[in-house]
Amino acid sequence: MTTAPRSEQPVPEQPVPGEPAPGDETGQPALKRAIGPKLLILFVIGDILGTGIYATTGKVAGKVGGALWLPFVIGFVVALLTAASYVELVGKYPKAAGAALYTQKAFKVPFLTFIVAFMVMCSGLSSASAAARAFSGDYFQEFTEAIPATLIAVVFVLALACLALRGVSESVKTNVVLTLVELTGLLIILGIGAWAVLGGEGEPSRLGEFEASGSGYALMTSVLGATALGFFAFVGFEDSVNMAEETQDPVRAFPRAIFTGVAVTGTVYVLVALVSSLLVDHETLERSSGPLLEVVKAGGVDFPPKLFALIALFAVTNSALINIMMASRLCYGLANERVLPRVMGKVLKNRRTPLTGIAFATLLTIGLVATGEIEGLGDTTAFLLLCVFAVVNIAVLVLRKDRVEHAHFRTPTALPVLGAITALILASPLADRSADVYVRAGVLLAIGIGLWVLNKVVLRARGED
């Protein structure tokens, strides 16, 4: 593997290799470079941590049984394979738009580019909506049951949209605080688990129990289904590449940030899964929308459940905030690439944040909140991203022929090959996901196709197509 050579950190607001200078042909001001290397690492960790582990652990347990740790181990490997491809591509092309940009450069098929872009956007928004549902579920109900859950979720999304409009600096600083809080919550779970095990509590025999019985095929689909849903906990590292135009020296910063983020979260996830299965049976975990709260209550430690519920609320808040931010930046990047109408790239000049992108992301998130629950929304997120990851892993191989002038990270060829294969397997019907996931993804893609047609009509009317 090779990485970019060390160099002086560029002054914020100056261009980096492969990126247009501030004030490009769209006439919009450039995004503000407010994210340094350390902040980016915390950003990636915060983007991965959150809703997946706090809300869907129980649903994963319901699919696989007591061997809850296994889907997270497999998910960690799959995430690492694809992360390596993203690191190479963001170093090569340090611009917003992420997977859509890579798809366009590799295949030069505008329709495919748009579909990939829209899938990425919708995966972020379905993730944010799952976070909103988790926020309004058992964790919030620990304080009050008087307010309808859907209303709580909608107000939650609107509040985060207002924060995202204030600016990337404010949003990322909020992310750092929330990241530390949510990481503290997971360390509390690990501490409770260690205390319980040392005290003779827990049931180690559960760790080898599988929910599926009968044929080997049934066991395989059960594990694949649990892994596909559990993979939702690992998504987020791909969002960070959309912050390339707001990162100082992205070519150097991203390899360390993404690999560190995936390694830290993967280790924590596997340990949390082990503790959860040791202390709570999988049926109890499956019934709860706040499964880690069940672990706290079963741990034999006098830790206030309301305090942990508050920590969990901060954790899912972080996930939703980052996904709304990423979807809005994706809108901005695609508008600059003329894949979406230019209005989608409109920037709020006094705050220098993507105004139209945030508004569009918020509306779609509210629509998803109103029509889905945590498990279905989480599985939709994972399904959409697994499809995108397969394309990205192929794109990194196709783009090896495209040389750039600056040095950048290069992943071993075997990793994207394995990444594409594993992503396609987990996205296939072998993963035993419910039909509503495919229906929801299909509806979202239909919306995307409608926008694609609208954009083509507008460009043709202007004589720009």
Side-chain angles (χ1 to χ4, degrees):
M1 299 183 184
T2 58
T3 56
R6 298 185 62 86
S7 60
E8 291 186 359
Q9 189 180 75
V11 178
E13 308 301 319
Q14 290 185 346
V16 296
E19 181 180 344
D24 62 14
E25 68 276 4
T26 66
Q28 295 292 330
L31 298 178
K32 185 176 182 180
R33 291 194 178 281
I35 306 174
K38 293 180 181 178
L39 198 57
L40 184 63
I41 291 175
L42 283 174
F43 186 89
V44 173
I45 292 174
D47 203 356
I48 300 174
L49 288 178
T51 304
I53 194 68
Y54 275 91
T56 61
T57 301
K59 307 306 179 185
V60 174
K63 286 178 174 287
V64 74
L68 178 58
W69 56 273
L70 182 58
F72 288 102
V73 170
I74 300 173
F76 170 65
V77 173
V78 174
L80 197 58
L81 293 173
T82 299
S85 292
Y86 270 94
V87 169
E88 175 171 337
L89 291 170
V90 74
K92 199 171 186 178
Y93 312 108
K95 297 174 64 178
L101 174 66
Y102 313 146
T103 302
Q104 179 62 23
K105 285 186 174 294
F107 305 108
K108 295 180 172 55
V109 179
F111 182 73
L112 176 61
T113 299
F114 185 84
I115 291 300
V116 167
F118 203 76
M119 290 177 80
V120 172
M121 184 190 308
C122 290
S123 71
L125 299 181
S126 60
S127 178
S129 61
R133 277 295 185 183
F135 186 95
S136 63
D138 286 352
Y139 293 124
F140 192 87
Q141 302 303 320
E142 189 70 21
F143 298 95
T144 179
E145 299 180 4
I147 307 174
T150 301
L151 177 60
I152 294 169
V154 170
V155 171
F156 170 77
V157 171
L158 291 173
L160 293 182
C162 292
L163 177 59
L165 279 170
R166 280 196 55 81
V168 67
S169 180
E170 290 83 354
S171 299
V172 173
K173 288 174 182 176
T174 301
N175 164 256
V176 171
V177 174
L178 295 179
T179 295
L180 296 175
V181 171
E182 64 188 340
L183 186 56
T184 299
L186 297 178
L187 292 177
I188 288 170
I189 292 292
L190 298 183
I192 289 174
W195 178 270
V197 170
L198 291 174
E201 300 292 332
E203 185 55 61
S205 63
R206 290 197 194 108
L207 300 180
E209 293 177 352
F210 290 90
E211 174 69 8
S213 58
S215 69
Y217 179 80
L219 178 59
M220 180 190 70
T221 56
S222 173
V223 172
L224 287 177
T227 301
L229 178 57
F231 191 74
F232 172 48
F234 287 96
V235 302
F237 64 86
E238 78 289 344
D239 284 339
S240 65
V241 302
N242 291 308
M243 303 301 287
E245 293 185 40
E246 294 167 272
T247 300
Q248 300 164 10
D249 198 359
V251 175
R252 282 181 50 209
F254 271 96
R256 180 181 297 178
I258 291 180
F259 285 131
T260 299
V262 173
V264 169
T265 54
T267 301
V268 171
Y269 283 174
V270 172
L271 292 175
V272 168
L274 286 168
V275 167
S276 299
S277 191
L278 279 170
L279 298 183
V280 185
D281 63 88
H282 72 272
E283 291 94 346
T284 301
L285 289 171
E286 182 182 13
R287 288 193 296 268
S288 177
S289 61
L292 299 191
L293 190 58
E294 301 296 334
V295 178
V296 170
K297 293 177 179 178
V301 177
D302 189 19
F303 190 91
K306 280 185 168 56
L307 177 57
F308 186 82
L310 183 62
I311 291 172
L313 291 177
F314 280 123
V316 298
T317 297
N318 201 29
S319 294
L321 172 61
I322 292 178
N323 278 290
I324 288 174
M325 287 174 62
M326 291 310 100
S328 64
R329 268 63 183 182
L330 183 54
C331 285
Y332 168 86
L334 292 175
N336 285 347
E337 294 287 332
R338 297 179 63 198
V339 178
L340 280 177
R342 288 183 180 178
V343 68
M344 302 299 288
K346 184 175 178 57
V347 174
L348 187 62
K349 292 188 177 180
N350 60 330
R351 305 302 306 182
R352 295 173 68 181
T353 52
L355 173 63
T356 311
I358 291 172
F360 183 68
T362 302
L363 287 174
L364 278 184
T365 302
I366 290 174
L368 288 167
V369 162
T371 57
E373 298 298 332
I374 293 173
E375 181 176 358
L377 292 169
D379 212 354
T380 301
T381 303
F383 170 71
L384 290 169
L385 279 181
L386 286 165
C387 293
V388 171
F389 287 173
V391 175
V392 169
N393 279 302
I394 295 170
V396 76
L397 298 174
V398 173
L399 288 170
R400 289 283 169 83
K401 66 180 184 296
D402 183 24
R403 302 301 179 92
V404 294
E405 295 181 358
H406 60 281
H408 61 86
F409 175 91
R410 180 184 170 97
T411 184
T413 301
L415 299 189
V417 172
L418 291 173
I421 293 171
T422 53
L424 287 172
I425 290 173
L426 290 177
S428 74
L430 289 174
D432 190 32
R433 58 176 52 88
S434 60
D436 71 288
V437 172
Y438 296 108
V439 171
R440 185 177 296 107
V443 170
L444 290 171
L445 284 178
I447 293 172
I449 292 171
L451 286 173
W452 164 260
V453 172
L454 176 63
N455 187 51
K456 293 290 286 185
V457 169
V458 170
L459 289 177
R460 204 162 280 166
R462 293 177 177 173
E464 299 176 10
D465 190 2

